[in-house]
Amino acid sequence: MLQVRLSLPRSPGGPAGGFPLAKPDKGDNTGSEQEMFGSSPVTIVITSEADTWDIDASSCLGCGQFVDWDRMPDPEQQAHIPRDILSKPPKELKKLAREGYWAASRALRAQVYHQLIQQVACRLVTPDAPVYRDVASRLFGKLSVSSHPLPEFLEGCSMPTYCLNLEGVTALKKILICVGNLFPDITYSPILPSLVALLLHYSEDEAQCFENISRLIASNAPHTSYIDQSFLAHQASCMTFGDLANKHCPAAHKLIASTSENVFEVYSEWLSWLFHDLPFNYAIRVFDVYLLEGQKVLYRIALALLKQYRLSVTSTELEGTDIKADLQAFVQNIAEHMTVDKLLERAFGIRLFSRKEIWLLQMANRKALMERGITMVQSRQSFHLAVDMQNFSSSIVTAQEMRIVWSWIPERFSLFPPLLLFSTSEDGCSLQRFYACCEGYEPTVLLIKTTEGEVCGAFLSSDWSERKKSGATSGFFGTGECFVFTVRPETERYEWVFIKKPELAKAVPRSRQRSPSPSPASLLSSSPDGRCTSSNCLAVPTLQRKGRLSPFLAIRHFLLPSKTASM
C-alpha cells in the first residue's frame, strides 16, 4: 500500500505591565550630606576582610553601583593577562573569549564589552549616552517619582535580573522604557531584557549601558543579527533552531517528537534556555562569545545543551512528563551535569553552517511564515500543530507516527498540514496514475506499507515532474534536503551522506561532479534584470565566488548553483 502526502505553502487569506520607578530618598541627597560632614559626627563602618573587594583587581570603576555583590560570583583564577589584550586581532580575541579570559577580571570584562560594542557596525543615526540622559530626564525627571509602563513589545516576556540590586533593577526598567521610546519599530523582543541586565553588571552608568544596547539593536552588519526585533524574526529564529536541532541532534529531536504534542513549542524556548534559565556565571560566558560571534554562537550552545539533555534522560523517564518544563529545569541545574568550559567546548565542536547559510535559512523560514500570514503575536497552537491528532486518518501510519515524520521535514514546510494526493486504496496501483496525481506539487512525503506490515518512506523536496526535464540523461533529481526513513519496525531517518560528512563533497573530482537537474537558470525563473519572478522563489543576493556555500545548502530550496554540488 502506498500513500503520498503533500506539504504545500498556500497564500494566507493587554496592556503592558506597569512598574513604578523609585526615586532617591530625600534624605540621601549627596550634596547635603557633604555639607553636613563638617559639623556632624561621621559614622565609620568597619568591615571584615572577607567583605572587602579590590576595586582594581575584581571590579571596574563605577560599574558596581547596580550589582548585589553578595550574589555575584567571584572572578575565576586566571593566568597573567597581557596588557595589550584589547588590541589583539578579532580571531585571537575570539579564542580568548571562548577560553574565558574575560572571567578573570570584572574591570577587563567591562572594558572589553564597551570596546567590542563600539566596533559593531550600526546605522548612522543611533541613540547614544547623551540622548539617553536627555530622554530619561524628560521622561522621569531628576528626583520625581514616576510610574511608567514597560514597552508593549515586552508584554509576556520574562525579565531576569541576575545579580542586580534594587537600583540595578530600576535602571533596567528605565533603559527598556527609553529603548521603547527611541526604537518604535521594535514590536517583539523577548531576549532584550536579559541582554540589558547582563550589560548593566559591567556598565559605568545607565547611559553607557543604553548606548551599548542601542548599537546592538541598530547593528547592520551583513548576515549578522544580534537581537530579533519582531515576532516574525523571533519565530523564524525558533524555526531555524528547529531545523538545526533536526540535523545535529537527531536523538534528542526524536525523543522530543515522540513525547511532546508540539515540538516547535519546545524549541521556541531555546533563547530562554540561554538568557533566562542558565545561571549567571554560565550566561555571562555565553554573552562573552555572543558579542564577538553574533547569533550563530547561540545556536551552537543551545544545541550543546540539547545534546547533553538527551544524554541525561531516558524515554521511560519522560513518560507523562512536561518535556518543556523538564528541559528548563535541566538548564537551570546545568552545573550538576557539566562545567561552563565543557559546555562551550562541546558547542564549538558542532560543525554548523556558515553565518551566511544560517541567514539564508532564516530568510526561507520568514518567507514561509509570511505565506501563512503569521507576522504578529498569536497563539502558537494555531499554526504549529499541523498534524491534527483528532482528524488525521491513514491506513499506513498512526497520527503519532505521522507527527514524528512531520517533525523531520524542514520547519518552513511543516507549518502546513498534510494533504492526501494519492492512495492505492483509492486510486489503484497504476504508476502513471501516481505520477498524474503527484506532479505539480512540492514537496511531498511518500509512505509505503509492505505486505509484511513494514512501513517506510521518503521526503521528496522537488516536483515529480522534474524527472522529465533533462531527458533520458537525468539519473536523479531533488535537493540535499531529501531523505528516506522507516517507521516500522523501527523509526529512523536516513539523510544524505554529505550532511553528516560535508568534507566528502570536496573529495569528489570536478570531472565527476554533476549539477542537480534542472539547471539553476531555469530554477531561478529570473527576469532579464536578475530579479526572481516566481512566487515560490526565495530572492537572495548574488553570491560571490569567495563566499561559496556548502554543497548541502547550495542546492537546497534556495536554488543556488554550486560547483561542488554532487548527488
Side-chain angles (χ1 to χ4, degrees), residues 518-533:
S519 67
S522 62
L523 280 172
L524 285 169
S525 304
S526 298
S527 58
D529 61 1
R531 290 179 298 179
C532 178
T533 57

Side-chain angles (χ1 to χ4, degrees), residues 16 52 129 144 203 215 262 274 317 388 399-400 424 429 445 483 488:
T52 62
S144 62
S203 297
R215 294 189 68 85
N262 191 340
L274 305 178
E317 291 175 344
D388 187 343
Q400 181 60 29
T424 52
C429 297
V445 173
F483 61 86
R488 282 182 237 137

Side-chain angles (χ1 to χ4, degrees), residues 181-434:
N181 188 273
L182 292 165
F183 291 91
D185 292 340
I186 301 178
T187 56
Y188 189 78
S189 188
I191 194 180
L192 193 56
S194 300
L195 300 184
V196 175
L198 289 172
L199 274 173
L200 266 174
H201 290 75
Y202 300 94
S203 297
E204 291 181 1
D205 54 25
E206 295 172 16
Q208 186 192 63
C209 181
F210 171 83
E211 179 174 322
N212 285 336
I213 198 67
S214 293
R215 294 189 68 85
L216 295 181
I217 292 171
S219 167
N220 59 3
H223 310 137
T224 301
S225 170
Y226 283 100
I227 302 172
D228 291 330
Q229 299 169 39
S230 68
F231 183 72
L232 178 64
H234 175 71
Q235 291 292 106
S237 294
C238 293
M239 288 173 65
T240 301
F241 178 75
D243 282 326
L244 296 174
N246 200 355
K247 301 295 181 191
H248 296 280
C249 308
H253 182 81
K254 181 179 177 181
L255 179 68
I256 293 171
S258 61
T259 54
S260 174
E261 288 188 2
N262 191 340
V263 178
F264 181 82
E265 190 170 351
V266 176
Y267 289 151
S268 66
E269 299 296 320
W270 77 281
L271 281 170
S272 293
W273 301 343
L274 305 178
F275 291 125
H276 180 269
D277 301 327
L278 277 179
F280 174 80
N281 56 324
Y282 283 70
I284 200 67
R285 287 286 299 277
V286 173
F287 193 70
D288 288 348
V289 290
Y290 165 72
L291 285 183
L292 277 160
E293 305 184 45
Q295 196 175 45
K296 179 180 175 180
V297 79
L298 302 185
Y299 287 123
R300 285 186 185 277
I301 297 168
L303 290 172
L305 286 169
L306 197 58
K307 281 177 174 284
Q308 184 63 31
Y309 174 73
R310 178 63 187 91
L311 293 174
S312 66
V313 297
T314 62
S315 25
T316 52
E317 291 175 344
L318 289 175
E319 288 181 6
T321 304
D322 181 352
I323 195 168
K324 182 178 170 183
D326 197 56
L327 244 169
Q328 181 183 28
F330 168 81
V331 176
Q332 289 171 346
N333 298 293
I334 188 64
E336 298 175 6
H337 303 275
M338 63 198 312
T339 64
V340 65
D341 289 304
K342 195 66 179 176
L343 174 63
L344 293 176
E345 179 186 330
R346 292 188 180 176
F348 290 110
I350 298 172
R351 185 168 182 175
L352 273 191
F353 302 139
S354 70
R355 186 179 297 173
K356 182 185 296 184
E357 290 164 334
I358 290 176
W359 174 77
L360 287 170
L361 188 54
Q362 286 177 321
M363 292 302 102
N365 286 331
R366 283 176 69 120
K367 181 176 180 244
L369 287 165
M370 292 173 71
E371 287 176 349
R372 191 76 193 272
I374 301 164
T375 57
M376 303 298 288
V377 179
Q378 52 189 280
S379 170
R380 296 189 185 102
Q381 298 288 333
S382 64
F383 62 88
H384 277 290
L385 284 177
V387 179
D388 187 343
M389 297 288 280
Q390 303 299 322
N391 300 316
F392 178 82
S393 176
S394 169
S395 57
I396 295 183
V397 292
T398 65
Q400 181 60 29
E401 288 171 335
M402 191 60 186
R403 176 173 285 174
I404 293 174
V405 171
W406 218 243
S407 78
W408 285 336
I409 71 176
E411 289 278 358
R412 62 189 185 279
F413 300 129
S414 64
L415 282 174
F416 305 91
L419 171 68
L420 184 63
L421 295 178
F422 176 89
S423 173
T424 52
S425 60
E426 298 177 11
D427 302 295
C429 297
S430 165
L431 188 60
Q432 292 305 315
R433 173 74 174 160
F434 166 78

Side-chain angles (χ1 to χ4, degrees), residues 95-116:
K95 180 176 180 292
L96 292 173
R98 291 182 180 186
E99 293 174 353
Y101 260 76
W102 312 160
S105 164
R106 295 188 182 112
L108 173 63
R109 186 175 259 151
Q111 293 172 25
V112 169
Y113 280 4
H114 187 63
Q115 177 166 309
L116 289 178

Side-chain angles (χ1 to χ4, degrees), residues 367 523-526 532-539 557-559:
K367 181 176 180 244
L523 280 172
L524 285 169
S525 304
S526 298
C532 178
T533 57
S534 168
S535 60
N536 292 325
C537 174
L538 172 66
H557 281 271
F558 306 131
L559 309 179

